[in-house]
Amino acid sequence: MSERENRRASPSGSALPSPLVPHPSLPSPWAEAVDPDLAALTPWTEDPSPPVIWSVAGTDSGGGAGLSADTRAAAAMGVHLCPVVAAVTAQHSLGVNAVFPLPPNQVRAQLSALRQDLPPRVIKTGLLASAATVDALLAQSGDALLVVDPVLGASAGGAAFCDEALLGAYRHQLVPAAALLTPNRREAERLLGVAHGQLPVPELAAMLRGLGAQAVVVTGGDDAALADGLSLDWLDSPLATGWIALPRLSGRDGASAHHHGSGCTFAAAAAAALARGFAVPDAVILAKMLTWSALRDGHAAGAGPGPLRPDRRFVDDPRAMPVMGFGDDTAPDRATLTRWREVLWPASRRPPTFAGGLYAITDRPERVAAMALSGRFEHVQLRIKRGAGVDEDRLRAAIREAVRDMAGRSSTLWINDHWRLALDEGARALHLGQEDWAGLAGEDREALWQRRARHGVQLGLSSHSLWELCRARGLAPDYIACGPLWPTTTKDMPWLPQGLAQLRWWSRMAGVPVVGIGGVLEDRQWRAGLAAGASAMCLVRAAEAMVPQGDRAEPSVRA
């Protein structure tokens, strides 16, 4: 079905269903508590009290970039954007003829009026045109988060946007105040005063953070990725760092897609997501998704590149879901880029072989066989976390016992964390947390890839946030776990309960089977999770209650 047909109303004339939306995974003063039993959340565009953001930027007489693009992106995110005019431009799709900075008193008057009645959660900056505007903005910014899109020139060429005084204001005032800085590569290089191509993108981002920015995303990615058909952005932030990838888009006959205002759209979408309470990495993921979808749906307006067309349905379009790498993989190798391509192009994915149903988790190897023999569980995981008091020899013996007892069973045995011991003892299915994978050395990751490729070793990965979902996708696992779904005391975690609505969104967007986990104590919960789209639901304490206890002694793996 074509994109145009997808947007049409049903034959009865009713509108398409509202899009599924995610909610923040970490606590935020702007993230309201979500009932984990809700099957779906109110779409952002139906929010009766949308968050307020400001955009301090320039007008575009051609309607492509600047405040025009910001307003369209904000509307698709369901936030209320207040446009503060910092400059008027005379431009069209082929270039900028002239830039007219507004007098500082006129900028101050707009900001002062808004401060009295419409205080922002987030302020996004675009074309500022003068250092005086920076002073006026910072005087009225208060405690709002600042998303800085350093507009230093137009991609189409033409009149200059930034003189030395403004460049200095960026370096010494705006960049140090930024919660998120969103330059493209050339803007990052100009802010740092380095020649084009002199430094790799990750190093540029690290240097910009060194100037004081809390987080930096360099949009546009690595030029070398062009041959691989990927559009790469590099995120450097306290919570997550790495490449974020989606397919590179092109227009008809291989021409460039309509991209006028893409940088404005990205920054405005990130600001809107921050205002909705999402952490910076998740806000950047959402901005990438919105911008990619809007770029795909862009349209002609004039003889040059046309504007983007954001739509609220970007948020539950699985095609727009990126993959993400880890911070130590600054130069992805050919195998990594190939794997990302296979994940992002659905036609190249292998059919999933993961069996649906219930998934038991136990830390007692003597219970593994009983759970498998009960006939209730398609999957049984042995989860013994390494820590003080864990005896290595007994840990190996516990894994060996579980592997032996599961031989010939129809259920799949998964070993959590201890991948090398597990493989040595004959296990063929591993579950790793994100921190477990991140802690692996390069040679260990390569060893795991070789086992997967040559011996069919299965891999499951945990995820708790949008960026962790993207990272898990980038590793092409056999399943991705989503949790915690309900409040749980079995693990001490910073994450908010995901709930059924988040599980439904995860299951739609992941591209691989999703396993729900966390706080599942009653039959109604795991049944609701399966109904929400999960391929399997994990039970911990509930699994023990479902399988009668035997009379065998219970040896400990702890010394």
Side-chain angles (χ1 to χ4, degrees), residues 23 25-26 279 281-282 321 434 463-471 483 495 498 502 505-506:
H23 65 77
S25 298
L26 288 170
D282 283 355
M321 196 70 200
Q434 299 255 336
S463 69
H464 310 87
S465 61
L466 275 63
W467 86 80
E468 286 197 349
L469 172 57
C470 293
R471 276 184 165 171
W495 312 101
Q498 306 275 28
Q502 196 90 313
W505 188 87
W506 235 253

mmCIF file with all atom_site columns, all heavy atoms in Angstrom, residues 23 25-26 279 281-282 321 434 463-471 483 495 498 502 505-506:
data_model
loop_
_atom_site.group_PDB
_atom_site.id
_atom_site.type_symbol
_atom_site.label_atom_id
_atom_site.label_alt_id
_atom_site.label_comp_id
_atom_site.label_asym_id
_atom_site.label_entity_id
_atom_site.label_seq_id
_atom_site.pdbx_PDB_ins_code
_atom_site.Cartn_x
_atom_site.Cartn_y
_atom_site.Cartn_z
_atom_site.occupancy
_atom_site.B_iso_or_equiv
_atom_site.pdbx_formal_charge
_atom_site.auth_seq_id
_atom_site.auth_comp_id
_atom_site.auth_asym_id
_atom_site.auth_atom_id
_atom_site.pdbx_PDB_model_num
ATOM 1   N N   . HIS A 1 23  ? 6.012  6.936  26.279 1.00 0.00 ? 23  HIS A N   1
ATOM 2   C CA  . HIS A 1 23  ? 6.133  7.909  27.366 1.00 0.00 ? 23  HIS A CA  1
ATOM 3   C C   . HIS A 1 23  ? 7.556  7.859  27.912 1.00 0.00 ? 23  HIS A C   1
ATOM 4   O O   . HIS A 1 23  ? 8.293  6.890  27.657 1.00 0.00 ? 23  HIS A O   1
ATOM 5   C CB  . HIS A 1 23  ? 5.103  7.643  28.467 1.00 0.00 ? 23  HIS A CB  1
ATOM 6   C CG  . HIS A 1 23  ? 5.291  6.331  29.198 1.00 0.00 ? 23  HIS A CG  1
ATOM 7   N ND1 . HIS A 1 23  ? 6.255  6.134  30.161 1.00 0.00 ? 23  HIS A ND1 1
ATOM 8   C CD2 . HIS A 1 23  ? 4.630  5.141  29.099 1.00 0.00 ? 23  HIS A CD2 1
ATOM 9   C CE1 . HIS A 1 23  ? 6.183  4.904  30.632 1.00 0.00 ? 23  HIS A CE1 1
ATOM 10  N NE2 . HIS A 1 23  ? 5.212  4.282  30.001 1.00 0.00 ? 23  HIS A NE2 1
ATOM 11  N N   . SER A 1 25  ? 10.868 7.197  29.978 1.00 0.00 ? 25  SER A N   1
ATOM 12  C CA  . SER A 1 25  ? 11.271 6.019  30.732 1.00 0.00 ? 25  SER A CA  1
ATOM 13  C C   . SER A 1 25  ? 12.004 6.366  32.022 1.00 0.00 ? 25  SER A C   1
ATOM 14  O O   . SER A 1 25  ? 12.180 5.489  32.876 1.00 0.00 ? 25  SER A O   1
ATOM 15  C CB  . SER A 1 25  ? 12.179 5.133  29.864 1.00 0.00 ? 25  SER A CB  1
ATOM 16  O OG  . SER A 1 25  ? 11.491 4.683  28.713 1.00 0.00 ? 25  SER A OG  1
ATOM 17  N N   . LEU A 1 26  ? 12.436 7.604  32.159 1.00 0.00 ? 26  LEU A N   1
ATOM 18  C CA  . LEU A 1 26  ? 13.120 8.060  33.365 1.00 0.00 ? 26  LEU A CA  1
ATOM 19  C C   . LEU A 1 26  ? 12.308 9.161  34.032 1.00 0.00 ? 26  LEU A C   1
ATOM 20  O O   . LEU A 1 26  ? 11.581 9.896  33.366 1.00 0.00 ? 26  LEU A O   1
ATOM 21  C CB  . LEU A 1 26  ? 14.516 8.580  33.020 1.00 0.00 ? 26  LEU A CB  1
ATOM 22  C CG  . LEU A 1 26  ? 15.553 7.524  32.638 1.00 0.00 ? 26  LEU A CG  1
ATOM 23  C CD1 . LEU A 1 26  ? 16.811 8.184  32.096 1.00 0.00 ? 26  LEU A CD1 1
ATOM 24  C CD2 . LEU A 1 26  ? 15.905 6.652  33.844 1.00 0.00 ? 26  LEU A CD2 1
ATOM 25  N N   . ALA A 1 279 ? 14.194 12.084 28.296 1.00 0.00 ? 279 ALA A N   1
ATOM 26  C CA  . ALA A 1 279 ? 15.628 12.321 28.486 1.00 0.00 ? 279 ALA A CA  1
ATOM 27  C C   . ALA A 1 279 ? 16.274 12.666 27.152 1.00 0.00 ? 279 ALA A C   1
ATOM 28  O O   . ALA A 1 279 ? 15.748 12.340 26.089 1.00 0.00 ? 279 ALA A O   1
ATOM 29  C CB  . ALA A 1 279 ? 16.282 11.088 29.092 1.00 0.00 ? 279 ALA A CB  1
ATOM 30  N N   . PRO A 1 281 ? 18.798 11.544 25.244 1.00 0.00 ? 281 PRO A N   1
ATOM 31  C CA  . PRO A 1 281 ? 18.962 10.559 24.162 1.00 0.00 ? 281 PRO A CA  1
ATOM 32  C C   . PRO A 1 281 ? 17.633 10.151 23.525 1.00 0.00 ? 281 PRO A C   1
ATOM 33  O O   . PRO A 1 281 ? 17.556 9.961  22.307 1.00 0.00 ? 281 PRO A O   1
ATOM 34  C CB  . PRO A 1 281 ? 19.636 9.369  24.863 1.00 0.00 ? 281 PRO A CB  1
ATOM 35  C CG  . PRO A 1 281 ? 20.285 9.953  26.072 1.00 0.00 ? 281 PRO A CG  1
ATOM 36  C CD  . PRO A 1 281 ? 19.380 11.057 26.511 1.00 0.00 ? 281 PRO A CD  1
ATOM 37  N N   . ASP A 1 282 ? 16.584 10.006 24.337 1.00 0.00 ? 282 ASP A N   1
ATOM 38  C CA  . ASP A 1 282 ? 15.283 9.658  23.775 1.00 0.00 ? 282 ASP A CA  1
ATOM 39  C C   . ASP A 1 282 ? 14.703 10.801 22.952 1.00 0.00 ? 282 ASP A C   1
ATOM 40  O O   . ASP A 1 282 ? 14.049 10.587 21.921 1.00 0.00 ? 282 ASP A O   1
ATOM 41  C CB  . ASP A 1 282 ? 14.308 9.280  24.892 1.00 0.00 ? 282 ASP A CB  1
ATOM 42  C CG  . ASP A 1 282 ? 14.547 7.879  25.428 1.00 0.00 ? 282 ASP A CG  1
ATOM 43  O OD1 . ASP A 1 282 ? 15.398 7.168  24.865 1.00 0.00 ? 282 ASP A OD1 1
ATOM 44  O OD2 . ASP A 1 282 ? 13.880 7.491  26.406 1.00 0.00 ? 282 ASP A OD2 1
ATOM 45  N N   . MET A 1 321 ? 12.090 3.865  12.852 1.00 0.00 ? 321 MET A N   1
ATOM 46  C CA  . MET A 1 321 ? 12.787 3.504  14.083 1.00 0.00 ? 321 MET A CA  1
ATOM 47  C C   . MET A 1 321 ? 14.261 3.283  13.795 1.00 0.00 ? 321 MET A C   1
ATOM 48  O O   . MET A 1 321 ? 14.628 2.395  13.024 1.00 0.00 ? 321 MET A O   1
ATOM 49  C CB  . MET A 1 321 ? 12.176 2.239  14.675 1.00 0.00 ? 321 MET A CB  1
ATOM 50  C CG  . MET A 1 321 ? 12.567 1.996  16.125 1.00 0.00 ? 321 MET A CG  1
ATOM 51  S SD  . MET A 1 321 ? 11.773 3.227  17.182 1.00 0.00 ? 321 MET A SD  1
ATOM 52  C CE  . MET A 1 321 ? 12.807 3.143  18.649 1.00 0.00 ? 321 MET A CE  1
ATOM 53  N N   . GLN A 1 434 ? 22.130 -4.350 28.680 1.00 0.00 ? 434 GLN A N   1
ATOM 54  C CA  . GLN A 1 434 ? 22.874 -3.359 27.897 1.00 0.00 ? 434 GLN A CA  1
ATOM 55  C C   . GLN A 1 434 ? 24.238 -3.074 28.515 1.00 0.00 ? 434 GLN A C   1
ATOM 56  O O   . GLN A 1 434 ? 25.236 -2.913 27.797 1.00 0.00 ? 434 GLN A O   1
ATOM 57  C CB  . GLN A 1 434 ? 22.059 -2.067 27.807 1.00 0.00 ? 434 GLN A CB  1
ATOM 58  C CG  . GLN A 1 434 ? 20.722 -2.228 27.116 1.00 0.00 ? 434 GLN A CG  1
ATOM 59  C CD  . GLN A 1 434 ? 20.693 -1.660 25.728 1.00 0.00 ? 434 GLN A CD  1
ATOM 60  O OE1 . GLN A 1 434 ? 21.465 -0.777 25.393 1.00 0.00 ? 434 GLN A OE1 1
ATOM 61  N NE2 . GLN A 1 434 ? 19.790 -2.162 24.907 1.00 0.00 ? 434 GLN A NE2 1
ATOM 62  N N   . SER A 1 463 ? 16.096 -3.880 27.371 1.00 0.00 ? 463 SER A N   1
ATOM 63  C CA  . SER A 1 463 ? 15.975 -2.460 27.013 1.00 0.00 ? 463 SER A CA  1
ATOM 64  C C   . SER A 1 463 ? 14.973 -1.808 27.942 1.00 0.00 ? 463 SER A C   1
ATOM 65  O O   . SER A 1 463 ? 14.000 -2.433 28.376 1.00 0.00 ? 463 SER A O   1
ATOM 66  C CB  . SER A 1 463 ? 15.534 -2.289 25.552 1.00 0.00 ? 463 SER A CB  1
ATOM 67  O OG  . SER A 1 463 ? 14.195 -2.727 25.371 1.00 0.00 ? 463 SER A OG  1
ATOM 68  N N   . HIS A 1 464 ? 15.222 -0.538 28.251 1.00 0.00 ? 464 HIS A N   1
ATOM 69  C CA  . HIS A 1 464 ? 14.373 0.195  29.193 1.00 0.00 ? 464 HIS A CA  1
ATOM 70  C C   . HIS A 1 464 ? 13.982 1.573  28.690 1.00 0.00 ? 464 HIS A C   1
ATOM 71  O O   . HIS A 1 464 ? 13.199 2.268  29.344 1.00 0.00 ? 464 HIS A O   1
ATOM 72  C CB  . HIS A 1 464 ? 15.106 0.362  30.532 1.00 0.00 ? 464 HIS A CB  1
ATOM 73  C CG  . HIS A 1 464 ? 15.684 -0.909 31.082 1.00 0.00 ? 464 HIS A CG  1
ATOM 74  N ND1 . HIS A 1 464 ? 16.940 -1.364 30.736 1.00 0.00 ? 464 HIS A ND1 1
ATOM 75  C CD2 . HIS A 1 464 ? 15.168 -1.823 31.935 1.00 0.00 ? 464 HIS A CD2 1
ATOM 76  C CE1 . HIS A 1 464 ? 17.177 -2.511 31.365 1.00 0.00 ? 464 HIS A CE1 1
ATOM 77  N NE2 . HIS A 1 464 ? 16.129 -2.803 32.095 1.00 0.00 ? 464 HIS A NE2 1
ATOM 78  N N   . SER A 1 465 ? 14.544 2.010  27.575 1.00 0.00 ? 465 SER A N   1
ATOM 79  C CA  . SER A 1 465 ? 14.311 3.358  27.059 1.00 0.00 ? 465 SER A CA  1
ATOM 80  C C   . SER A 1 465 ? 14.342 3.299  25.539 1.00 0.00 ? 465 SER A C   1
ATOM 81  O O   . SER A 1 465 ? 14.723 2.280  24.950 1.00 0.00 ? 465 SER A O   1
ATOM 82  C CB  . SER A 1 465 ? 15.399 4.312  27.567 1.00 0.00 ? 465 SER A CB  1
ATOM 83  O OG  . SER A 1 465 ? 16.676 3.882  27.102 1.00 0.00 ? 465 SER A OG  1
ATOM 84  N N   . LEU A 1 466 ? 13.972 4.397  24.909 1.00 0.00 ? 466 LEU A N   1
ATOM 85  C CA  . LEU A 1 466 ? 13.983 4.423  23.449 1.00 0.00 ? 466 LEU A CA  1
ATOM 86  C C   . LEU A 1 466 ? 15.394 4.210  22.914 1.00 0.00 ? 466 LEU A C   1
ATOM 87  O O   . LEU A 1 466 ? 15.609 3.476  21.950 1.00 0.00 ? 466 LEU A O   1
ATOM 88  C CB  . LEU A 1 466 ? 13.413 5.748  22.938 1.00 0.00 ? 466 LEU A CB  1
ATOM 89  C CG  . LEU A 1 466 ? 11.894 5.844  22.791 1.00 0.00 ? 466 LEU A CG  1
ATOM 90  C CD1 . LEU A 1 466 ? 11.186 5.696  24.134 1.00 0.00 ? 466 LEU A CD1 1
ATOM 91  C CD2 . LEU A 1 466 ? 11.491 7.162  22.148 1.00 0.00 ? 466 LEU A CD2 1
ATOM 92  N N   . TRP A 1 467 ? 16.370 4.865  23.551 1.00 0.00 ? 467 TRP A N   1
ATOM 93  C CA  . TRP A 1 467 ? 17.729 4.719  23.017 1.00 0.00 ? 467 TRP A CA  1
ATOM 94  C C   . TRP A 1 467 ? 18.254 3.298  23.247 1.00 0.00 ? 467 TRP A C   1
ATOM 95  O O   . TRP A 1 467 ? 18.972 2.757  22.411 1.00 0.00 ? 467 TRP A O   1
ATOM 96  C CB  . TRP A 1 467 ? 18.671 5.783  23.600 1.00 0.00 ? 467 TRP A CB  1
ATOM 97  C CG  . TRP A 1 467 ? 19.325 5.476  24.904 1.00 0.00 ? 467 TRP A CG  1
ATOM 98  C CD1 . TRP A 1 467 ? 20.419 4.690  25.104 1.00 0.00 ? 467 TRP A CD1 1
ATOM 99  C CD2 . TRP A 1 467 ? 18.950 5.962  26.202 1.00 0.00 ? 467 TRP A CD2 1
ATOM 100 N NE1 . TRP A 1 467 ? 20.750 4.652  26.444 1.00 0.00 ? 467 TRP A NE1 1
ATOM 101 C CE2 . TRP A 1 467 ? 19.873 5.435  27.136 1.00 0.00 ? 467 TRP A CE2 1
ATOM 102 C CE3 . TRP A 1 467 ? 17.946 6.807  26.666 1.00 0.00 ? 467 TRP A CE3 1
ATOM 103 C CZ2 . TRP A 1 467 ? 19.794 5.713  28.500 1.00 0.00 ? 467 TRP A CZ2 1
ATOM 104 C CZ3 . TRP A 1 467 ? 17.871 7.096  28.020 1.00 0.00 ? 467 TRP A CZ3 1
ATOM 105 C CH2 . TRP A 1 467 ? 18.781 6.544  28.921 1.00 0.00 ? 467 TRP A CH2 1
ATOM 106 N N   . GLU A 1 468 ? 17.867 2.669  24.353 1.00 0.00 ? 468 GLU A N   1
ATOM 107 C CA  . GLU A 1 468 ? 18.287 1.289  24.555 1.00 0.00 ? 468 GLU A CA  1
ATOM 108 C C   . GLU A 1 468 ? 17.593 0.346  23.574 1.00 0.00 ? 468 GLU A C   1
ATOM 109 O O   . GLU A 1 468 ? 18.186 -0.641 23.121 1.00 0.00 ? 468 GLU A O   1
ATOM 110 C CB  . GLU A 1 468 ? 18.009 0.851  25.995 1.00 0.00 ? 468 GLU A CB  1
ATOM 111 C CG  . GLU A 1 468 ? 18.968 1.441  26.998 1.00 0.00 ? 468 GLU A CG  1
ATOM 112 C CD  . GLU A 1 468 ? 18.966 0.716  28.323 1.00 0.00 ? 468 GLU A CD  1
ATOM 113 O OE1 . GLU A 1 468 ? 18.071 -0.131 28.565 1.00 0.00 ? 468 GLU A OE1 1
ATOM 114 O OE2 . GLU A 1 468 ? 19.874 0.983  29.138 1.00 0.00 ? 468 GLU A OE2 1
ATOM 115 N N   . LEU A 1 469 ? 16.356 0.642  23.224 1.00 0.00 ? 469 LEU A N   1
ATOM 116 C CA  . LEU A 1 469 ? 15.680 -0.144 22.190 1.00 0.00 ? 469 LEU A CA  1
ATOM 117 C C   . LEU A 1 469 ? 16.436 -0.029 20.871 1.00 0.00 ? 469 LEU A C   1
ATOM 118 O O   . LEU A 1 469 ? 16.656 -1.033 20.175 1.00 0.00 ? 469 LEU A O   1
ATOM 119 C CB  . LEU A 1 469 ? 14.235 0.344  22.031 1.00 0.00 ? 469 LEU A CB  1
ATOM 120 C CG  . LEU A 1 469 ? 13.428 -0.249 20.862 1.00 0.00 ? 469 LEU A CG  1
ATOM 121 C CD1 . LEU A 1 469 ? 13.366 -1.768 20.948 1.00 0.00 ? 469 LEU A CD1 1
ATOM 122 C CD2 . LEU A 1 469 ? 12.029 0.356  20.825 1.00 0.00 ? 469 LEU A CD2 1
ATOM 123 N N   . CYS A 1 470 ? 16.853 1.181  20.514 1.00 0.00 ? 470 CYS A N   1
ATOM 124 C CA  . CYS A 1 470 ? 17.604 1.379  19.267 1.00 0.00 ? 470 CYS A CA  1
ATOM 125 C C   . CYS A 1 470 ? 18.954 0.675  19.312 1.00 0.00 ? 470 CYS A C   1
ATOM 126 O O   . CYS A 1 470 ? 19.400 0.095  18.310 1.00 0.00 ? 470 CYS A O   1
ATOM 127 C CB  . CYS A 1 470 ? 17.786 2.868  18.996 1.00 0.00 ? 470 CYS A CB  1
ATOM 128 S SG  . CYS A 1 470 ? 16.242 3.731  18.617 1.00 0.00 ? 470 CYS A SG  1
ATOM 129 N N   . ARG A 1 471 ? 19.602 0.704  20.461 1.00 0.00 ? 471 ARG A N   1
ATOM 130 C CA  . ARG A 1 471 ? 20.875 -0.004 20.592 1.00 0.00 ? 471 ARG A CA  1
ATOM 131 C C   . ARG A 1 471 ? 20.687 -1.508 20.451 1.00 0.00 ? 471 ARG A C   1
ATOM 132 O O   . ARG A 1 471 ? 21.479 -2.191 19.787 1.00 0.00 ? 471 ARG A O   1
ATOM 133 C CB  . ARG A 1 471 ? 21.513 0.316  21.944 1.00 0.00 ? 471 ARG A CB  1
ATOM 134 C CG  . ARG A 1 471 ? 22.299 1.607  21.950 1.00 0.00 ? 471 ARG A CG  1
ATOM 135 C CD  . ARG A 1 471 ? 22.978 1.803  23.278 1.00 0.00 ? 471 ARG A CD  1
ATOM 136 N NE  . ARG A 1 471 ? 24.004 2.831  23.170 1.00 0.00 ? 471 ARG A NE  1
ATOM 137 C CZ  . ARG A 1 471 ? 24.656 3.341  24.215 1.00 0.00 ? 471 ARG A CZ  1
ATOM 138 N NH1 . ARG A 1 471 ? 24.392 2.905  25.431 1.00 0.00 ? 471 ARG A NH1 1
ATOM 139 N NH2 . ARG A 1 471 ? 25.585 4.263  24.035 1.00 0.00 ? 471 ARG A NH2 1
ATOM 140 N N   . GLY A 1 483 ? 11.078 -3.551 29.807 1.00 0.00 ? 483 GLY A N   1
ATOM 141 C CA  . GLY A 1 483 ? 10.675 -3.545 31.208 1.00 0.00 ? 483 GLY A CA  1
ATOM 142 C C   . GLY A 1 483 ? 11.295 -2.378 31.962 1.00 0.00 ? 483 GLY A C   1
ATOM 143 O O   . GLY A 1 483 ? 12.071 -1.602 31.391 1.00 0.00 ? 483 GLY A O   1
ATOM 144 N N   . TRP A 1 495 ? 14.367 3.176  36.283 1.00 0.00 ? 495 TRP A N   1
ATOM 145 C CA  . TRP A 1 495 ? 13.373 3.335  35.230 1.00 0.00 ? 495 TRP A CA  1
ATOM 146 C C   . TRP A 1 495 ? 11.955 3.409  35.770 1.00 0.00 ? 495 TRP A C   1
ATOM 147 O O   . TRP A 1 495 ? 11.609 2.743  36.748 1.00 0.00 ? 495 TRP A O   1
ATOM 148 C CB  . TRP A 1 495 ? 13.473 2.176  34.237 1.00 0.00 ? 495 TRP A CB  1
ATOM 149 C CG  . TRP A 1 495 ? 14.858 1.911  33.789 1.00 0.00 ? 495 TRP A CG  1
ATOM 150 C CD1 . TRP A 1 495 ? 15.697 0.919  34.222 1.00 0.00 ? 495 TRP A CD1 1
ATOM 151 C CD2 . TRP A 1 495 ? 15.609 2.675  32.842 1.00 0.00 ? 495 TRP A CD2 1
ATOM 152 N NE1 . TRP A 1 495 ? 16.908 1.007  33.592 1.00 0.00 ? 495 TRP A NE1 1
ATOM 153 C CE2 . TRP A 1 495 ? 16.894 2.076  32.735 1.00 0.00 ? 495 TRP A CE2 1
ATOM 154 C CE3 . TRP A 1 495 ? 15.329 3.788  32.061 1.00 0.00 ? 495 TRP A CE3 1
ATOM 155 C CZ2 . TRP A 1 495 ? 17.886 2.554  31.882 1.00 0.00 ? 495 TRP A CZ2 1
ATOM 156 C CZ3 . TRP A 1 495 ? 16.310 4.268  31.204 1.00 0.00 ? 495 TRP A CZ3 1
ATOM 157 C CH2 . TRP A 1 495 ? 17.564 3.659  31.134 1.00 0.00 ? 495 TRP A CH2 1
ATOM 158 N N   . GLN A 1 498 ? 7.063  0.736  32.579 1.00 0.00 ? 498 GLN A N   1
ATOM 159 C CA  . GLN A 1 498 ? 6.729  0.950  31.174 1.00 0.00 ? 498 GLN A CA  1
ATOM 160 C C   . GLN A 1 498 ? 5.233  0.817  30.931 1.00 0.00 ? 498 GLN A C   1
ATOM 161 O O   . GLN A 1 498 ? 4.637  1.598  30.191 1.00 0.00 ? 498 GLN A O   1
ATOM 162 C CB  . GLN A 1 498 ? 7.487  -0.062 30.297 1.00 0.00 ? 498 GLN A CB  1
ATOM 163 C CG  . GLN A 1 498 ? 8.995  -0.072 30.503 1.00 0.00 ? 498 GLN A CG  1
ATOM 164 C CD  . GLN A 1 498 ? 9.702  0.985  29.667 1.00 0.00 ? 498 GLN A CD  1
ATOM 165 O OE1 . GLN A 1 498 ? 9.127  2.014  29.343 1.00 0.00 ? 498 GLN A OE1 1
ATOM 166 N NE2 . GLN A 1 498 ? 10.943 0.729  29.325 1.00 0.00 ? 498 GLN A NE2 1
ATOM 167 N N   . GLN A 1 502 ? 3.336  1.197  26.704 1.00 0.00 ? 502 GLN A N   1
ATOM 168 C CA  . GLN A 1 502 ? 4.718  1.207  26.201 1.00 0.00 ? 502 GLN A CA  1
ATOM 169 C C   . GLN A 1 502 ? 5.072  -0.136 25.562 1.00 0.00 ? 502 GLN A C   1
ATOM 170 O O   . GLN A 1 502 ? 5.755  -0.190 24.528 1.00 0.00 ? 502 GLN A O   1
ATOM 171 C CB  . GLN A 1 502 ? 5.676  1.514  27.358 1.00 0.00 ? 502 GLN A CB  1
ATOM 172 C CG  . GLN A 1 502 ? 7.071  1.936  26.930 1.00 0.00 ? 502 GLN A CG  1
ATOM 173 C CD  . GLN A 1 502 ? 7.199  3.432  26.745 1.00 0.00 ? 502 GLN A CD  1
ATOM 174 O OE1 . GLN A 1 502 ? 6.361  4.064  26.106 1.00 0.00 ? 502 GLN A OE1 1
ATOM 175 N NE2 . GLN A 1 502 ? 8.228  4.009  27.330 1.00 0.00 ? 502 GLN A NE2 1
ATOM 176 N N   . TRP A 1 505 ? 3.707  -0.232 22.113 1.00 0.00 ? 505 TRP A N   1
ATOM 177 C CA  . TRP A 1 505 ? 4.527  0.578  21.201 1.00 0.00 ? 505 TRP A CA  1
ATOM 178 C C   . TRP A 1 505 ? 5.831  -0.154 20.879 1.00 0.00 ? 505 TRP A C   1
ATOM 179 O O   . TRP A 1 505 ? 6.255  -0.223 19.727 1.00 0.00 ? 505 TRP A O   1
ATOM 180 C CB  . TRP A 1 505 ? 4.800  1.942  21.832 1.00 0.00 ? 505 TRP A CB  1
ATOM 181 C CG  . TRP A 1 505 ? 5.469  2.917  20.933 1.00 0.00 ? 505 TRP A CG  1
ATOM 182 C CD1 . TRP A 1 505 ? 4.890  3.772  20.040 1.00 0.00 ? 505 TRP A CD1 1
ATOM 183 C CD2 . TRP A 1 505 ? 6.886  3.167  20.847 1.00 0.00 ? 505 TRP A CD2 1
ATOM 184 N NE1 . TRP A 1 505 ? 5.839  4.524  19.398 1.00 0.00 ? 505 TRP A NE1 1
ATOM 185 C CE2 . TRP A 1 505 ? 7.071  4.181  19.869 1.00 0.00 ? 505 TRP A CE2 1
ATOM 186 C CE3 . TRP A 1 505 ? 8.004  2.642  21.486 1.00 0.00 ? 505 TRP A CE3 1
ATOM 187 C CZ2 . TRP A 1 505 ? 8.334  4.664  19.532 1.00 0.00 ? 505 TRP A CZ2 1
ATOM 188 C CZ3 . TRP A 1 505 ? 9.263  3.123  21.147 1.00 0.00 ? 505 TRP A CZ3 1
ATOM 189 C CH2 . TRP A 1 505 ? 9.415  4.120  20.183 1.00 0.00 ? 505 TRP A CH2 1
ATOM 190 N N   . TRP A 1 506 ? 6.483  -0.709 21.896 1.00 0.00 ? 506 TRP A N   1
ATOM 191 C CA  . TRP A 1 506 ? 7.739  -1.471 21.715 1.00 0.00 ? 506 TRP A CA  1
ATOM 192 C C   . TRP A 1 506 ? 7.526  -2.593 20.708 1.00 0.00 ? 506 TRP A C   1
ATOM 193 O O   . TRP A 1 506 ? 8.338  -2.798 19.807 1.00 0.00 ? 506 TRP A O   1
ATOM 194 C CB  . TRP A 1 506 ? 8.159  -2.066 23.049 1.00 0.00 ? 506 TRP A CB  1
ATOM 195 C CG  . TRP A 1 506 ? 9.525  -1.755 23.552 1.00 0.00 ? 506 TRP A CG  1
ATOM 196 C CD1 . TRP A 1 506 ? 10.591 -2.604 23.594 1.00 0.00 ? 506 TRP A CD1 1
ATOM 197 C CD2 . TRP A 1 506 ? 9.963  -0.540 24.161 1.00 0.00 ? 506 TRP A CD2 1
ATOM 198 N NE1 . TRP A 1 506 ? 11.677 -1.986 24.180 1.00 0.00 ? 506 TRP A NE1 1
ATOM 199 C CE2 . TRP A 1 506 ? 11.318 -0.717 24.542 1.00 0.00 ? 506 TRP A CE2 1
ATOM 200 C CE3 . TRP A 1 506 ? 9.361  0.681  24.416 1.00 0.00 ? 506 TRP A CE3 1
ATOM 201 C CZ2 . TRP A 1 506 ? 12.056 0.284  25.157 1.00 0.00 ? 506 TRP A CZ2 1
ATOM 202 C CZ3 . TRP A 1 506 ? 10.091 1.672  25.037 1.00 0.00 ? 506 TRP A CZ3 1
ATOM 203 C CH2 . TRP A 1 506 ? 11.424 1.476  25.392 1.00 0.00 ? 506 TRP A CH2 1
#
